[in-house]
Amino acid sequence: DWQVHRAYINHWILEQTYAVDVGRTVEDASGWMATKYTTDGLHPDYAGKRMIGEAIGKYLSAHFPWITKDLEKKPIVLPEAAN
């Protein structure tokens, strides 16, 4: 059962010294990935990946400010759609 393996791996990851629980960032009240962050229910889409990146950025800023204090968030420029 993949859910048992997922829970086992996630538990191990969160026991590490420096771990970010990005799952909580994109999950719904039931513990599944919120539909606004995925197209297939398992993998994050663009919005999901952005939320995960934001969570990691906040974690890094909170735990390693001497590294992140001088960094600037660059604006995201999306390519224009092909005609």
Side-chain angles (χ1 to χ4, degrees), residues 55-71:
I56 292 169
K58 288 176 187 175
Y59 179 89
L60 293 174
S61 293
H63 292 86
F64 305 99
W66 62 93
I67 296 172
T68 60
K69 66 180 174 63
D70 295 328
L71 298 178

Side-chain angles (χ1 to χ4, degrees), residues 8-61:
Y8 176 82
I9 296 296
N10 285 345
H11 176 75
W12 179 85
I13 290 169
L14 295 176
E15 287 183 330
Q16 305 311 302
T17 304
Y18 299 107
V20 183
D21 189 357
V22 297
R24 294 192 189 274
T25 303
V26 294
E27 69 185 20
D28 62 17
S30 302
W32 291 95
M33 189 175 296
T35 57
K36 65 183 177 180
Y37 298 128
T38 182
T39 56
D40 64 4
L42 183 61
H43 302 94
D45 61 8
Y46 176 81
K49 290 175 184 175
R50 183 173 181 153
M51 290 300 294
I52 290 169
E54 294 286 337
I56 292 169
K58 288 176 187 175
Y59 179 89
L60 293 174
S61 293

